[in-house]
Amino acid sequence: MVRRSGRRPGNQDTRSSILEAARTAFAEKGFDRVSVRAIAADAGVDAALVHHYFGTKDKLFLAVMNAPINPAELVPQALQGPRGQAGERLVRLVLSIWDSPAGAAALAVFRSALSNEWTARLLREFVIVQVLRRAVTELAIDPAEAPLRAGLVATQMAGLIVTRYVLKIEPLPSTDPELLVAAIGPNVQRFLLDPLPASVDNRAELS
């Protein structure tokens, strides 16, 4: 029997091939530098099959991450309201996810990222592109400042996740979520919207 060549038909093997190609592409190049067409080519399928199985590139990325939530839906909802309380609402969103049944899946990804560079790259892309970029967009933050502000916010969120859910340093695991929102929210708010400190060079000139 002659083996047929060319594009794979649509089946479960095709879906797995697309996910594997996407996982590699996102980890190696980052979300922004990867196209659906390139992923399809790496998987040996037509780009239409990628859209058939996953829809958009964002949804394909969420499938690669096995994400328990969709930030495109949750982040805008969390940031609706007064800008002066955006930090608290963002911390409340993180806690609500990690304290819910979806938190188990999120924790598995987070633990894997601590020991696996490929997963760490994907998690960085997820946090930066899917969560923090959406947050700074919703708040209309200066694009020139957005990367630094997003990174500073990440220090608070990652620290909260590690201490409360991974290392479980008491009393944080037992602390009421609203107390953590009140304690950590102002720091996140400051990193999001308060004026950034002057650079080291500028401070030296002013002194």
Side-chain angles (χ1 to χ4, degrees):
M1 178 181 293
V2 178
R3 182 180 179 183
R4 297 179 61 185
S5 60
R7 302 290 186 183
R8 297 187 181 95
N11 53 35
Q12 190 61 34
D13 289 340
T14 300
R15 190 178 190 280
S16 298
S17 297
I18 293 170
L19 282 173
E20 186 59 34
R23 185 176 295 110
T24 300
F26 286 135
E28 288 184 346
K29 301 176 182 178
F31 181 86
D32 292 332
R33 296 175 60 191
V34 173
S35 69
V36 169
R37 187 176 299 276
I39 291 171
D42 290 343
V45 303
D46 191 277
L49 278 176
V50 179
H51 292 293
H52 169 73
Y53 280 112
F54 302 100
T56 64
K57 186 170 78 165
D58 281 272
K59 291 182 179 179
L60 173 58
F61 185 68
L62 293 178
V64 166
M65 291 298 301
N66 195 25
I69 53 96
N70 186 348
E73 299 173 356
L74 295 182
V75 172
Q77 293 175 12
L79 293 179
Q80 287 179 357
R83 283 168 61 89
Q85 299 171 1
E88 291 186 1
R89 292 197 299 276
L90 202 55
V91 174
R92 185 176 291 111
L93 170 64
V94 170
L95 289 169
S96 69
I97 293 169
W98 285 79
D99 286 341
S100 74
L107 182 58
V109 173
F110 195 88
R111 287 183 182 278
S112 178
L114 297 178
S115 59
N116 185 291
E117 176 58 25
W118 281 83
T119 309
R121 292 179 187 178
L122 290 171
L123 184 59
R124 283 196 296 270
E125 287 294 305
F126 179 81
V127 171
I128 292 170
V129 176
Q130 298 293 327
V131 179
L132 297 180
R133 183 182 294 178
R134 294 184 189 281
V136 298
T137 299
E138 288 291 324
L139 295 171
I141 291 172
D142 182 351
E145 297 180 348
L148 177 57
R149 290 185 181 276
L152 291 172
V153 170
T155 66
Q156 302 298 295
M157 298 305 189
L160 174 60
I161 291 169
V162 169
T163 53
R164 181 174 171 89
Y165 302 101
V166 179
L167 299 180
K168 298 183 179 180
I169 299 176
E170 289 291 355
L172 287 176
S174 306
T175 300
D176 183 89
E178 284 303 310
L179 177 56
L180 296 176
V181 168
I184 300 172
N187 282 340
V188 175
Q189 180 72 24
R190 178 164 59 89
F191 291 147
L192 282 173
L193 295 171
D194 283 5
L196 292 172
S199 68
V200 175
D201 291 340
N202 288 341
R203 281 183 288 170
E205 292 174 2
L206 294 173
S207 62

